[in-house]
Amino acid sequence: MNGTPKALKISIGFFGRTNVGKSSIINLITNQGVSIVSEIPGTTTDMVSKSMELPPVGPVNLIDTPGLDDGSQLGEQRLKVSRQVISTVDLIVLITDCFRWTQYEEWVLSESKKYRTPVIIINNKTDLKPDVCDCKKTGRTTENQLNISCKELKDNESKRNSFINSLSGLISGIVHHEEKENLIFSDLIPGENKNVILVMPVDSEAPKGRLILPQVQTIREALDNNISAICVTPETFTRTLDSLSNPPALVITDSQAVKEIAEKTPDSITLTTFSILFSRLKGELKTLSAGAAELYCLKDNDKVLISEACTHHSTDEDIGRVKIPNLLRKFSGKNLKIEFAQGKDFYNVQQDDYRLIIHCGGCMITRKEFNSRLNYCTENNLHITNYGMAISVFQNVLERTLKLFPEALAEFKNRKENPGKNEY
């Protein structure tokens, strides 16, 4: 479990008013003192997260949030953070005590509907007033609810295990009901030809001794589906291709080598990029394709935001900070204002100022969080694409690498041929 990337874990956010027992419940589930527990309201002032293995669900990331009714000077900012968490988690666990159902619980349910996030309700403190311990008493009913007393569970191993089994059973049922099988490429391989070539450059950006996450996930999917994945660098691609008695069903290349590989790959062989495949896996491919067409419409003094989901130290070959800005200026020939955002700063910049957002592939965040960012842009009439698709535009090969996905290709062509449309 410890080797499972955060982006592949089920993210579960715990929400509730101050002192309803959020931190106590997380500590019960993990059997560790992950969150500070105190009678003083507002003890949890910032998000606290803990990764663990939760059978039968699998690897999960539990997120403890500040009290929704935090009356401190930072309360409004923490409520904003809670809203961001709701928009990105796979599941909400709403904690309430057995006495009150307030505007804060209503707010969580309203936000959950907005972001289509399933909810489990836990009614805590049944030891204090058991006659009103059911949400039905307040008119709030859901089959996904549990009634507990953290105080009683804390020192009773049998009751604690029973609670965890009940909760994990609910979570598993919801997750398996909500999820659909999201495949990277294996559904695109027809017939008996089960060979693919993966082109993976090795440069200063590649972690020494390791592969980047999209490459690992692609290779694993190949293994799971009895597909032979032949891994090469751009330098060994032609030699490998010529050595095969039968051409591969598909060539998947890193976007940074897409021009070279497109020139070396016969038109009879299907070619695409990791970026396009993960655009389909992570988010809405048509939205990102439409955003890529905006690269043809840039004018002098337009502002472009380059956004990275994770935080890392940049190098002289950094794709987001160095390579894409250089390619963008050369391709557009315009005097552009290019700015950068990392991590959660995506939500803090003045998005209305930007003509286009070029986002990273989002490999280190969950599909739900990446889609939350896409939805944010769509709702605010902002154009967005990603690093890899932008590079394919710069190299004039996006139409070829999008052929596998006719609807996305049509969206790209339509926007390219009809510039100036700002509505999604």
Side-chain angles (χ1 to χ4, degrees), residues 163-421:
F163 160 66
I164 293 175
N165 289 337
S166 297
L167 179 61
S168 59
L170 285 178
I171 295 171
S172 180
I174 291 172
V175 168
H176 291 152
H177 175 73
E178 293 287 325
E179 72 180 4
K180 62 179 180 179
E181 188 174 19
N182 295 301
L183 299 174
I184 301 169
F185 78 98
S186 56
D187 58 319
L188 304 170
I189 307 296
E192 298 300 319
N193 187 354
K194 296 294 183 181
N195 295 329
V196 299
I197 295 181
L198 309 181
V199 185
M200 304 182 293
V202 177
D203 56 23
S204 63
E205 290 276 282
K208 189 172 180 60
R210 294 178 289 127
L211 300 174
I212 61 175
L213 184 57
Q215 296 168 354
V216 173
Q217 289 179 254
T218 304
I219 293 170
R220 176 56 193 261
E221 185 172 308
L223 296 174
D224 288 341
N225 290 276
N226 297 317
I227 296 171
S228 297
I230 306 166
C231 303
V232 302
T233 63
E235 293 76 17
T236 60
F237 172 72
T238 300
R239 185 182 73 206
T240 302
L241 187 62
D242 291 343
S243 71
L244 298 177
S245 56
N246 294 310
L250 180 64
V251 173
I252 306 172
T253 181
D254 185 285
S255 296
Q256 296 188 71
V258 67
K259 182 179 181 180
E260 176 184 352
I261 300 305
E263 291 171 349
K264 294 178 178 179
T265 304
D267 290 339
S268 58
I269 298 176
T270 304
L271 171 68
T272 193
T273 67
F274 286 101
S275 181
I276 288 172
L277 293 177
F278 275 79
S279 295
R280 182 179 75 138
L281 177 73
K282 284 278 188 179
E284 175 51 60
L285 184 56
K286 287 176 63 177
T287 298
L288 295 167
S289 299
E294 288 299 308
L295 289 162
Y296 293 93
C297 307
L298 296 174
K299 299 180 176 63
D300 282 332
N301 298 316
D302 276 348
K303 290 178 67 175
V304 177
L305 178 68
I306 298 179
S307 179
E308 297 172 294
C310 59
T311 302
H312 66 274
H313 178 67
S314 61
T315 68
D316 291 340
E317 293 185 320
D318 190 87
I319 184 171
R321 298 272 173 165
V322 179
K323 291 182 179 179
I324 287 180
N326 290 341
L327 288 169
L328 178 57
R329 291 188 175 98
K330 182 178 179 181
F331 174 80
S332 68
K334 305 298 182 183
N335 181 26
L336 303 174
K337 298 178 181 179
I338 300 175
E339 298 180 359
F340 304 90
Q342 286 188 326
K344 300 296 183 182
D345 288 343
F346 174 84
Y347 295 100
N348 297 328
V349 297
Q350 190 63 38
Q351 303 276 15
D352 293 344
D353 291 346
Y354 297 102
R355 175 63 185 266
L356 177 66
I357 298 172
I358 305 178
H359 202 285
C360 71
C363 65
M364 297 306 293
I365 57 178
T366 65
R367 186 175 189 273
K368 180 68 181 292
E369 182 167 356
F370 190 80
N371 272 279
S372 173
R373 296 182 178 216
L374 291 187
N375 291 337
Y376 178 87
C377 290
T378 301
E379 290 169 2
N380 290 280
N381 236 5
L382 298 166
H383 297 288
I384 182 170
T385 191
N386 65 17
Y387 287 8
M389 297 184 79
I391 291 174
S392 289
V393 169
F394 300 151
Q395 306 295 352
N396 199 31
V397 295
L398 184 59
E399 292 190 22
R400 178 177 180 184
T401 53
L402 267 181
K403 279 184 179 180
L404 266 173
F405 309 104
E407 290 186 1
L409 178 57
E411 186 74 16
F412 171 73
K413 286 183 174 180
N414 180 51
R415 291 303 179 95
K416 179 181 175 182
E417 293 166 3
N418 298 280
K421 290 185 178 180

Side-chain angles (χ1 to χ4, degrees), residues 20 44 75 89 135 176 362 390 424:
V20 295
T44 303
V89 294
C135 271
H176 291 152
Y424 279 102

Side-chain angles (χ1 to χ4, degrees), residues 45-46 66-68 70-81:
T45 57
D46 295 296
L68 296 170
D70 181 356
S72 69
Q73 291 182 343
L74 295 176
E76 184 60 35
Q77 289 181 314
R78 289 172 183 145
L79 195 63
K80 181 180 179 181
V81 170

